[in-house]
Amino acid sequence: MDFSRLTDAMAAKSYDKIASICEDLMITSAAKGVAFHEEWPYAVHLLGHLYNNEISSARFLWKTIPVGIKESRPELLAAWKIGQKLWTRDYAGVHEALRGYDWSPEVREIVDSFADRYTKKIFDLLVSAYSTISVQDTALFLGMNVEDATKYVLEQGWSLDAASQMLTVKRQVIAKAQKLDDSTLQRLTEYVFHLEH
């Protein structure tokens, strides 16, 4: 089976394309009647779905994988553990699952990229959900030790009350949409009308 498109995407760090490439290859193979189960890169395929936050697709893929393959591939089981933690919103568990396996060189980079992306996603959730949060809770959510988590958020502009060990969240500045006054809106309408007629 020709995995060159998948290999090229991995080499280019286009991890967001992995799931769709794998789906295309799987459909093409099935249409040609080619058996692919034994050599299929299930761990990469599963991680591709997780990378794109396609948890339902990852669960569906997991259910279609033959039991013998699930049992014989520890890296696949480790990838699925990440999916399980994502499904149950076990934020600290996701980080534990990411660090809890010695990933192969082929998979290590996508896992590292996913970990960075996931940390940023959780950080954004913390920014939107909290005005203050304890250092301990922040470390738990970000999957870091207290020192690293504190350093990470302080670099993002948060502030620390050392006595209470509480962090004050710095809100992201959101650009407000510029409001159009009536004359600007009228000119825009006339311009569009002129273009159409």
Side-chain angles (χ1 to χ4, degrees):
M1 181 173 292
D2 181 14
F3 290 111
S4 59
R5 283 178 56 212
L6 180 59
T7 305
D8 292 347
M10 296 281 287
K13 300 184 186 313
S14 299
Y15 305 127
D16 57 328
K17 296 178 182 175
I18 289 173
S20 63
I21 290 170
C22 286
E23 295 295 322
D24 290 346
L25 288 171
M26 192 177 268
I27 291 168
T28 303
S29 297
K32 292 179 180 177
V34 176
F36 56 83
H37 291 296
E38 292 304 318
E39 63 184 71
W40 192 257
Y42 285 108
V44 171
H45 190 170
L46 189 64
L47 287 165
H49 283 302
L50 298 178
Y51 190 86
N52 291 335
N53 199 30
E54 300 165 353
I55 309 303
S56 294
S57 295
R59 288 184 73 211
F60 179 76
L61 174 63
W62 177 255
K63 289 179 181 182
T64 64
I65 299 171
V67 174
I69 290 176
K70 289 177 185 177
E71 293 173 350
S72 66
R73 297 190 187 176
E75 190 164 67
L76 174 59
L77 292 172
W80 178 236
K81 187 178 244 183
I82 297 167
Q84 290 173 308
K85 299 300 181 181
L86 287 167
W87 183 259
T88 60
R89 292 183 177 91
D90 180 355
Y91 304 112
V94 171
H95 294 290
E96 290 170 14
L98 288 165
R99 289 189 301 265
Y101 186 78
D102 185 20
W103 302 97
S104 66
E106 301 83 37
V107 175
R108 163 66 48 206
E109 288 188 23
I110 187 173
V111 169
D112 289 346
S113 182
F114 174 82
D116 290 343
R117 189 175 183 162
Y118 184 73
T119 299
K120 289 174 186 159
K121 176 183 173 184
I122 296 302
F123 175 79
D124 290 343
L125 285 173
L126 293 176
V127 168
S128 66
Y130 292 91
S131 55
T132 59
I133 184 171
S134 72
V135 170
Q136 191 65 40
D137 286 346
T138 303
L140 183 70
F141 279 116
L142 295 177
M144 300 176 185
N145 63 42
V146 169
E147 295 80 22
D148 290 343
T150 303
K151 181 181 177 196
Y152 182 85
V153 297
L154 290 177
E155 289 173 353
Q156 307 301 319
W158 292 21
S159 58
L160 171 67
D161 179 342
S164 67
Q165 288 294 291
M166 292 296 288
L167 292 158
T168 301
V169 176
K170 179 183 177 189
R171 298 277 178 206
Q172 302 295 326
V173 178
I174 299 171
K176 293 184 179 180
Q178 182 180 3
K179 292 185 178 181
L180 298 176
D181 62 20
D182 290 341
S183 64
T184 305
L185 188 56
Q186 179 63 35
R187 285 195 313 263
L188 183 59
T189 303
E190 290 171 1
Y191 180 73
V192 171
F193 180 78
H194 176 73
L195 289 175
E196 290 178 349
H197 299 298

